[in-house]
Amino acid sequence: MSRWTDWWHELSSAAKFRLSTRLTFQGSILGVVVVMLNSAGSLWSAPVIVVAGITAVLAVAAQDDFATVPGGVSRQWTPPLAAVTLLAMWAVSAAIARLATAESTVRDARVAGGLAALLAMFAVIPFIRHRWWVLLGLSLATGLAFGSSPLSALALAAVYLLTGVVVVGLTAFTVWGLRVVDELDRAKLVEAELQVAEERLRFARDLHDVVGRGFSAIAVKSELAVALSRSGDQERAVAEMEEVRELAVESMGQMRTLVRGYRNIDLRGEVAGARSLLSAVGCELVVEGDAAKVGPQFHEVAAWVVREGTTNIVEHSAATVATLALGSAGMSLRNDNPHGGTGERSGLRGLAERLAAVGATLDVTATGDEFILEIHWENK
């Protein structure tokens, strides 16, 4: 059972929506089959109805629009085979309805033929070109084939046409909804990737602005010192090299400051960044408590917990809600809809090492519905 629940939680929201939509369609087909089976009165009609129902269910499962994983391998021969099977069932039923003399046989033929037409409206017609013309032709043909009189044939055709319009229309609307969900899912991933790229560009820009000028000055003064040395002005050459040394030390200090500012992250800033990043992937961050309750000696490691925990949520879950709790004795970060267990996440190992260095501990709890990071420390 846990294997199935893990598989379900590992699916993205879009994949879950696709799967539930496909199962809804297949469930509707099975419902129609069950109703028609209750109306079957002869031994030959029940197996025919069951075969037609199974064929239609498989045809829906093979449609690319309802694939659980977009672009996955599907059996392309299934929809044409379903169309041929349902058409043959409809044609045989129409022939029996016209040629049979027993009333019970005629009634069963009408049930089987009507079911074939309905199943075609569910599993075949919505996914072909010129679907509306095909629907109109099938409705008129069904009315003429199974109507007992011109008036009843017209009424039967109208009923099938109205039913088909509703079914095909709902299917088209559902397919449109699936494509919108896919686009939103892709947009969330792209937005998260753009935020990471933007942060990298910011750091590269800061690095260039801070140390680029110093390195340029070092290069120029080094060339000048070489020229002075070759011309015999050793005193000025030595003075220029002293300035090069000072510039190098100054540039190294500026680089350390820049890297320290990038790595020694701020807790409040990380909370704000986590809220922005999680919002970009459709997850709401709820903050309980205040960063002021965290002791100063734990601020940096708490910020790393927020950063690593947020990264885990983005990469290893389809979370819709995450809760960050901050307190004087520790903190926690939990989210719903995790993808599987903890696995071998190097980020968590590194985080545990950071916490151990300041005397704090990390506890990880993973269930099918929730993933929890709990950190405990003692304020002194």
Side-chain angles (χ1 to χ4, degrees):
M1 186 66 181
S2 61
R3 183 180 63 181
W4 290 104
T5 56
D6 289 343
W7 171 79
W8 172 257
H9 287 299
E10 288 174 0
L11 293 178
S12 64
S13 298
K16 290 178 181 178
F17 183 64
R18 282 177 169 275
L19 180 59
S20 62
T21 303
R22 189 184 77 184
L23 292 178
T24 299
F25 267 80
Q26 292 173 329
S28 300
I29 292 172
L30 293 177
V32 172
V33 170
V34 170
V35 171
M36 291 300 185
L37 280 175
N38 292 332
S39 303
S42 60
L43 294 176
W44 66 267
S45 60
V48 171
I49 291 173
V50 171
V51 170
I54 294 174
T55 302
V57 167
L58 294 177
V60 171
Q63 293 295 337
D64 291 335
D65 289 318
F66 290 98
T68 304
V69 179
V73 178
S74 60
R75 296 178 176 85
Q76 298 297 330
W77 50 266
T78 306
L81 178 62
V84 171
T85 301
L86 294 174
L87 178 61
M89 175 180 170
W90 182 92
V92 171
S93 299
I96 293 175
R98 287 301 177 186
L99 299 176
T101 56
E103 184 63 28
S104 60
T105 303
V106 173
R107 186 186 68 251
D108 289 340
R110 289 173 178 170
V111 170
L115 176 64
L118 287 175
L119 294 181
M121 294 174 186
F122 272 98
V124 178
I125 294 178
F127 308 101
I128 61 176
R129 295 183 61 187
H130 310 300
R131 59 182 64 90
W132 300 111
W133 290 109
V134 174
L135 175 63
L136 177 61
L138 177 63
S139 300
L140 292 174
T142 302
L144 293 174
F146 299 106
S148 57
S149 64
L151 185 60
S152 65
L154 183 61
L156 188 61
V159 169
Y160 275 95
L161 179 61
L162 180 60
T163 302
V165 167
V166 172
V167 172
V168 174
L170 287 176
T171 304
F173 182 78
T174 302
V175 170
W176 172 79
L178 288 169
R179 292 171 181 171
V180 170
V181 169
D182 288 340
E183 289 296 326
L184 291 175
D185 197 44
R186 283 192 291 268
K188 289 178 182 179
L189 293 176
V190 169
E191 185 172 359
E193 291 173 356
L194 286 176
Q195 288 188 347
V196 173
E198 184 178 358
E199 176 62 17
R200 289 174 177 170
L201 288 173
R202 184 198 68 79
F203 182 70
R205 183 179 62 249
D206 291 347
L207 184 63
H208 176 272
D209 293 343
V210 170
V211 301
R213 182 179 61 84
F215 286 164
S216 297
I218 288 173
V220 171
K221 285 186 172 293
S222 297
E223 291 177 0
L224 178 58
V226 170
L228 290 171
S229 178
R230 288 175 177 172
S231 66
D233 194 347
Q234 298 295 330
E235 186 176 349
R236 288 187 61 190
V238 170
E240 292 294 337
M241 290 307 298
E242 285 290 337
E243 291 188 16
V244 167
R245 183 184 64 82
E246 293 175 1
L247 281 171
V249 172
E250 181 183 353
S251 296
M252 289 176 63
Q254 290 175 339
M255 183 180 294
R256 289 193 186 99
T257 301
L258 175 63
V259 173
R260 189 181 301 114
Y262 184 76
R263 295 183 63 186
N264 293 346
I265 52 183
D266 175 68
L267 178 56
R268 294 183 185 276
E270 284 303 311
V271 172
R275 178 177 281 112
S276 175
L277 178 58
L278 291 177
S279 176
V281 295
C283 178
E284 178 188 3
L285 178 64
V286 178
V287 180
E288 300 175 352
D290 191 351
K293 295 181 179 180
V294 179
Q297 69 273 36
F298 299 115
H299 262 237
E300 182 178 343
V301 74
W304 277 108
V305 170
V306 174
R307 175 175 288 189
E308 180 61 32
T310 303
T311 302
N312 278 336
I313 292 173
V314 173
E315 294 182 353
H316 302 294
S317 79
T320 58
V321 177
T323 303
L324 172 65
L326 301 169
S328 59
M331 63 182 295
S332 67
L333 180 62
R334 65 183 66 205
N335 63 274
D336 60 354
N337 298 328
H339 290 169
T342 59
E344 293 295 327
R345 301 183 186 177
S346 58
L348 292 182
R349 292 196 301 272
L351 187 58
E353 293 172 359
R354 288 180 182 274
L355 290 165
V358 296
T361 59
L362 170 66
D363 292 326
V364 179
T365 304
T367 66
D369 300 320
E370 193 173 42
F371 187 85
I372 306 172
L373 295 178
E374 289 186 295
I375 292 83
H376 305 279
W377 57 65
E378 292 184 4
N379 274 323
K380 297 179 182 179

